Each structure stands twice: as C-alpha cells, then as structure tokens.
Amino acid sequence: MQTIQSVLEGQTWPRTFTSLDTAIRAVGLEYTLEGGKPVTLFAPDDEAFNDLHYGAIFDLLKDITLLRRLLEYHIVPLLLTRATLMQMVSSFSPKAVSTPQSSQQGQERGQSVELPTLSGHVLLLTFSDGLRVQGTKVLEPELKADNGVIHPLERVLWPPDLTEASFGERSPLSFRR
C-alpha cells in the first residue's frame, strides 16, 4: 500500500519533501498520513522551506507543539484531487465544504471555497492565475496515494495564529536566501 507518507519519502522528482517529512516525523503526524482515512496534504516542497530564513527547519523543530499546529494546517481530512478542487472553485457551491468555525458557514465568498484542516482553521481555496490555497500556488503534478493526495505548494502556509517569527528570533548571523 502506497500511503501519503511513503509517497513523500520516496519523491525525488520534480520536487523533494525532505524538510516536510522530517517535520512530520518529529511531531508524529506520519501515523495520520499512513492511516486508512482519506486525507489531502498541501505540501510545501524543500524549496518552500529553503525560502524561509536560514536554518528555519531547525528553528521549527525546537517547538514541537507549534510545529504540529503548523503542519496540521496543511492537512485536510478529505480526499480532494485537483479535479475536485477545480470543480469546487468553479461551481462556487455554498455547500462545497464548510466548518463550524466559518463565520459565513455555507455561504458563498466570491470565487473561493473554505477547506477544514486538522488544526481547526480553514484554508481558502481560490482560482486566480491558477489554483491557490491561502494565496499560495498549488504546483503540479498532484501526487496520488492509496489514502489520499498530495498537492505540492510553492510556500509554507501559516495559520492565522502563527508566523515564521513564532518559532524564535533569528540570530544576527542568519539571513534570507
């Protein structure tokens, strides 16, 4: 059985997910991604982690509780292929996906759809210059697994209550690439 976790581990082209895989294992979310329940992972690739400050992955690993919240924000407990996501956005269905946390539960919000995450926050799915989640471009191709799908992202997604700075101050020697 090829699970989301095993696809992440084995992916070598056109993107790699080594940083994401390390973070997922550090917080114990690999069991969620190996389970039998369908999930969708919006997965920042290694380039997305490299775009953070120098040594960011090590800073992220210093606070496992915050890191878990960050990673859970990338996981939707539904099977959502690219075709399904495109259909959801194009139909603007008020019943597409809603959560109790949504202030506009079941209502249209322009050309967007809310997706519930394991973190309890929602991700906003839009189509503007391509498929986007929270304004971040969803890269192709999607990676399918027996228990779900992985959508590579060009950046790390930050839930409303976290930022890169939440994981500690940068040292004077660190720099942005």
PDB file of all heavy atoms in Angstrom, residues 81-95:
ATOM      1  N   THR A  81      -8.853  15.668  -4.948  1.00  0.00           N
ATOM      2  CA  THR A  81      -7.959  15.677  -6.103  1.00  0.00           C
ATOM      3  C   THR A  81      -7.979  17.065  -6.738  1.00  0.00           C
ATOM      4  O   THR A  81      -8.843  17.896  -6.432  1.00  0.00           O
ATOM      5  CB  THR A  81      -8.412  14.650  -7.160  1.00  0.00           C
ATOM      6  OG1 THR A  81      -9.703  15.041  -7.639  1.00  0.00           O
ATOM      7  CG2 THR A  81      -8.449  13.239  -6.591  1.00  0.00           C
ATOM      8  N   ARG A  82      -7.059  17.302  -7.630  1.00  0.00           N
ATOM      9  CA  ARG A  82      -7.015  18.585  -8.338  1.00  0.00           C
ATOM     10  C   ARG A  82      -8.331  18.821  -9.085  1.00  0.00           C
ATOM     11  O   ARG A  82      -8.874  19.915  -9.083  1.00  0.00           O
ATOM     12  CB  ARG A  82      -5.825  18.626  -9.288  1.00  0.00           C
ATOM     13  CG  ARG A  82      -5.644  19.980  -9.948  1.00  0.00           C
ATOM     14  CD  ARG A  82      -4.343  20.043 -10.749  1.00  0.00           C
ATOM     15  NE  ARG A  82      -4.088  21.372 -11.226  1.00  0.00           N
ATOM     16  CZ  ARG A  82      -3.503  22.338 -10.519  1.00  0.00           C
ATOM     17  NH1 ARG A  82      -3.109  22.089  -9.285  1.00  0.00           N
ATOM     18  NH2 ARG A  82      -3.320  23.527 -11.033  1.00  0.00           N
ATOM     19  N   ALA A  83      -8.852  17.769  -9.718  1.00  0.00           N
ATOM     20  CA  ALA A  83     -10.109  17.893 -10.456  1.00  0.00           C
ATOM     21  C   ALA A  83     -11.249  18.282  -9.508  1.00  0.00           C
ATOM     22  O   ALA A  83     -12.073  19.137  -9.837  1.00  0.00           O
ATOM     23  CB  ALA A  83     -10.429  16.586 -11.177  1.00  0.00           C
ATOM     24  N   THR A  84     -11.274  17.678  -8.332  1.00  0.00           N
ATOM     25  CA  THR A  84     -12.303  18.003  -7.344  1.00  0.00           C
ATOM     26  C   THR A  84     -12.161  19.444  -6.875  1.00  0.00           C
ATOM     27  O   THR A  84     -13.152  20.172  -6.766  1.00  0.00           O
ATOM     28  CB  THR A  84     -12.216  17.051  -6.130  1.00  0.00           C
ATOM     29  OG1 THR A  84     -12.342  15.704  -6.583  1.00  0.00           O
ATOM     30  CG2 THR A  84     -13.296  17.352  -5.113  1.00  0.00           C
ATOM     31  N   LEU A  85     -10.931  19.870  -6.601  1.00  0.00           N
ATOM     32  CA  LEU A  85     -10.695  21.248  -6.171  1.00  0.00           C
ATOM     33  C   LEU A  85     -11.135  22.235  -7.241  1.00  0.00           C
ATOM     34  O   LEU A  85     -11.789  23.243  -6.945  1.00  0.00           O
ATOM     35  CB  LEU A  85      -9.222  21.458  -5.825  1.00  0.00           C
ATOM     36  CG  LEU A  85      -8.695  20.701  -4.611  1.00  0.00           C
ATOM     37  CD1 LEU A  85      -7.179  20.854  -4.504  1.00  0.00           C
ATOM     38  CD2 LEU A  85      -9.367  21.155  -3.339  1.00  0.00           C
ATOM     39  N   MET A  86     -10.796  21.950  -8.499  1.00  0.00           N
ATOM     40  CA  MET A  86     -11.186  22.834  -9.602  1.00  0.00           C
ATOM     41  C   MET A  86     -12.708  22.892  -9.729  1.00  0.00           C
ATOM     42  O   MET A  86     -13.275  23.961  -9.940  1.00  0.00           O
ATOM     43  CB  MET A  86     -10.567  22.349 -10.916  1.00  0.00           C
ATOM     44  CG  MET A  86      -9.061  22.478 -10.963  1.00  0.00           C
ATOM     45  SD  MET A  86      -8.474  24.169 -10.873  1.00  0.00           S
ATOM     46  CE  MET A  86      -8.998  24.768 -12.454  1.00  0.00           C
ATOM     47  N   GLN A  87     -13.349  21.749  -9.569  1.00  0.00           N
ATOM     48  CA  GLN A  87     -14.811  21.703  -9.653  1.00  0.00           C
ATOM     49  C   GLN A  87     -15.437  22.508  -8.513  1.00  0.00           C
ATOM     50  O   GLN A  87     -16.394  23.240  -8.722  1.00  0.00           O
ATOM     51  CB  GLN A  87     -15.292  20.256  -9.605  1.00  0.00           C
ATOM     52  CG  GLN A  87     -16.787  20.114  -9.699  1.00  0.00           C
ATOM     53  CD  GLN A  87     -17.222  18.663  -9.620  1.00  0.00           C
ATOM     54  OE1 GLN A  87     -16.408  17.758  -9.447  1.00  0.00           O
ATOM     55  NE2 GLN A  87     -18.517  18.441  -9.736  1.00  0.00           N
ATOM     56  N   MET A  88     -14.881  22.391  -7.313  1.00  0.00           N
ATOM     57  CA  MET A  88     -15.404  23.125  -6.161  1.00  0.00           C
ATOM     58  C   MET A  88     -15.321  24.627  -6.391  1.00  0.00           C
ATOM     59  O   MET A  88     -16.270  25.361  -6.130  1.00  0.00           O
ATOM     60  CB  MET A  88     -14.636  22.743  -4.897  1.00  0.00           C
ATOM     61  CG  MET A  88     -14.911  21.339  -4.411  1.00  0.00           C
ATOM     62  SD  MET A  88     -13.776  20.816  -3.107  1.00  0.00           S
ATOM     63  CE  MET A  88     -14.304  21.866  -1.773  1.00  0.00           C
ATOM     64  N   VAL A  89     -14.177  25.086  -6.883  1.00  0.00           N
ATOM     65  CA  VAL A  89     -13.978  26.521  -7.103  1.00  0.00           C
ATOM     66  C   VAL A  89     -14.868  27.020  -8.237  1.00  0.00           C
ATOM     67  O   VAL A  89     -15.468  28.078  -8.142  1.00  0.00           O
ATOM     68  CB  VAL A  89     -12.496  26.846  -7.382  1.00  0.00           C
ATOM     69  CG1 VAL A  89     -12.325  28.291  -7.797  1.00  0.00           C
ATOM     70  CG2 VAL A  89     -11.660  26.574  -6.153  1.00  0.00           C
ATOM     71  N   SER A  90     -14.969  26.250  -9.303  1.00  0.00           N
ATOM     72  CA  SER A  90     -15.741  26.711 -10.456  1.00  0.00           C
ATOM     73  C   SER A  90     -17.238  26.706 -10.188  1.00  0.00           C
ATOM     74  O   SER A  90     -17.971  27.498 -10.768  1.00  0.00           O
ATOM     75  CB  SER A  90     -15.410  25.882 -11.695  1.00  0.00           C
ATOM     76  OG  SER A  90     -15.836  24.556 -11.524  1.00  0.00           O
ATOM     77  N   SER A  91     -17.686  25.848  -9.315  1.00  0.00           N
ATOM     78  CA  SER A  91     -19.128  25.779  -9.045  1.00  0.00           C
ATOM     79  C   SER A  91     -19.573  26.790  -8.000  1.00  0.00           C
ATOM     80  O   SER A  91     -20.764  27.082  -7.892  1.00  0.00           O
ATOM     81  CB  SER A  91     -19.515  24.371  -8.590  1.00  0.00           C
ATOM     82  OG  SER A  91     -19.009  24.117  -7.296  1.00  0.00           O
ATOM     83  N   PHE A  92     -18.614  27.313  -7.190  1.00  0.00           N
ATOM     84  CA  PHE A  92     -18.931  28.248  -6.100  1.00  0.00           C
ATOM     85  C   PHE A  92     -20.059  27.727  -5.244  1.00  0.00           C
ATOM     86  O   PHE A  92     -20.921  28.458  -4.802  1.00  0.00           O
ATOM     87  CB  PHE A  92     -19.304  29.644  -6.634  1.00  0.00           C
ATOM     88  CG  PHE A  92     -18.338  30.166  -7.611  1.00  0.00           C
ATOM     89  CD1 PHE A  92     -18.733  30.460  -8.887  1.00  0.00           C
ATOM     90  CD2 PHE A  92     -17.014  30.347  -7.271  1.00  0.00           C
ATOM     91  CE1 PHE A  92     -17.837  30.941  -9.829  1.00  0.00           C
ATOM     92  CE2 PHE A  92     -16.111  30.829  -8.192  1.00  0.00           C
ATOM     93  CZ  PHE A  92     -16.525  31.123  -9.477  1.00  0.00           C
ATOM     94  N   SER A  93     -20.080  26.433  -5.067  1.00  0.00           N
ATOM     95  CA  SER A  93     -21.168  25.809  -4.322  1.00  0.00           C
ATOM     96  C   SER A  93     -21.151  26.226  -2.864  1.00  0.00           C
ATOM     97  O   SER A  93     -20.156  26.061  -2.181  1.00  0.00           O
ATOM     98  CB  SER A  93     -21.036  24.287  -4.400  1.00  0.00           C
ATOM     99  OG  SER A  93     -21.936  23.670  -3.525  1.00  0.00           O
ATOM    100  N   PRO A  94     -22.274  26.742  -2.350  1.00  0.00           N
ATOM    101  CA  PRO A  94     -22.317  27.121  -0.945  1.00  0.00           C
ATOM    102  C   PRO A  94     -22.241  25.901  -0.030  1.00  0.00           C
ATOM    103  O   PRO A  94     -21.981  26.025   1.142  1.00  0.00           O
ATOM    104  CB  PRO A  94     -23.650  27.848  -0.800  1.00  0.00           C
ATOM    105  CG  PRO A  94     -24.471  27.404  -1.952  1.00  0.00           C
ATOM    106  CD  PRO A  94     -23.503  27.043  -3.049  1.00  0.00           C
ATOM    107  N   LYS A  95     -22.428  24.707  -0.569  1.00  0.00           N
ATOM    108  CA  LYS A  95     -22.395  23.503   0.249  1.00  0.00           C
ATOM    109  C   LYS A  95     -21.094  22.737   0.074  1.00  0.00           C
ATOM    110  O   LYS A  95     -20.942  21.651   0.582  1.00  0.00           O
ATOM    111  CB  LYS A  95     -23.567  22.585  -0.112  1.00  0.00           C
ATOM    112  CG  LYS A  95     -24.909  23.197   0.172  1.00  0.00           C
ATOM    113  CD  LYS A  95     -26.009  22.255  -0.236  1.00  0.00           C
ATOM    114  CE  LYS A  95     -27.363  22.906  -0.031  1.00  0.00           C
ATOM    115  NZ  LYS A  95     -28.437  22.088  -0.534  1.00  0.00           N
TER     116      LYS A  95
END
